[in-house]
Amino acid sequence: MHEEFNGFEKVCKVSKLNENEGQHFKIKSIDVALFKVGGKVYALNNICPHQKANIMHDGFIEDGFVICPAHGWSFSLIDGKMNEIGCKLDSYEVKIIDEFVYVKVFGKKFNWNF
Ligand code: FES
């Protein structure tokens, strides 16, 4: 069932997400990784820019960052930015409405500033 609210797509119940663990969902054909950390939900593009691998949901959470499980690039949960290099993951707005997670996705923005 497809439900939408002001451009935000209904994804899942908050309770379906485990604390400090990622899960990924296709939202309007975009692969999005959701993370619940400290009870707050964050949404980032699931594709690591290093080798274009859709594995960010399997990343480790540490100090507000998600660390790619393949080679350790880390991205802020808040805005998807890396500390080390100029590229970033797209980050998406999240709303919680009646215990459900809603995410507002947009088309891929290219942020390859090597
Ligand atoms: S694929 Fe993510 S750091 Fe290499």
Side-chain angles (χ1 to χ4, degrees):
M1 184 173 60
H2 174 85
E3 279 190 56
E4 188 253 6
F5 174 78
N6 275 353
F8 285 78
E9 302 289 319
K10 188 177 192 179
V11 183
C12 67
K13 280 200 118 172
V14 178
S15 58
K16 190 172 189 283
L17 302 173
N18 296 324
E19 185 73 19
N20 290 322
E21 226 176 71
Q23 280 190 51
H24 70 126
F25 299 85
K26 271 271 180 328
I27 308 173
K28 285 182 157 177
S29 77
I30 299 197
D31 196 358
V32 176
L34 294 188
F35 303 94
K36 186 164 75 176
V37 181
K40 194 168 170 17
V41 178
Y42 301 91
L44 296 175
N45 194 282
N46 192 38
I47 300 172
C48 181
H50 178 216
Q51 292 192 339
K52 319 284 184 286
N54 58 333
I55 53 176
M56 290 311 303
H57 65 284
D58 272 337
F60 312 101
I61 308 295
E62 204 175 275
D63 296 331
F65 282 78
V66 56
I67 301 165
C68 179
H71 313 98
W73 286 21
S74 63
F75 304 88
S76 164
L77 288 169
I78 294 171
D79 58 14
K81 286 187 182 156
M82 290 187 77
N83 278 340
E84 304 85 1
I85 316 176
C87 68
K88 70 187 279 280
L89 290 174
D90 285 340
S91 62
Y92 308 105
E93 281 183 74
V94 173
K95 275 188 196 301
I96 308 296
I97 303 169
D98 294 335
E99 297 301 312
F100 279 88
V101 179
Y102 287 74
V103 177
K104 190 178 202 172
V105 293
F106 49 80
K108 180 75 197 131
K109 288 183 183 162
F110 291 96
N111 299 299
W112 324 125
N113 301 319
F114 291 100

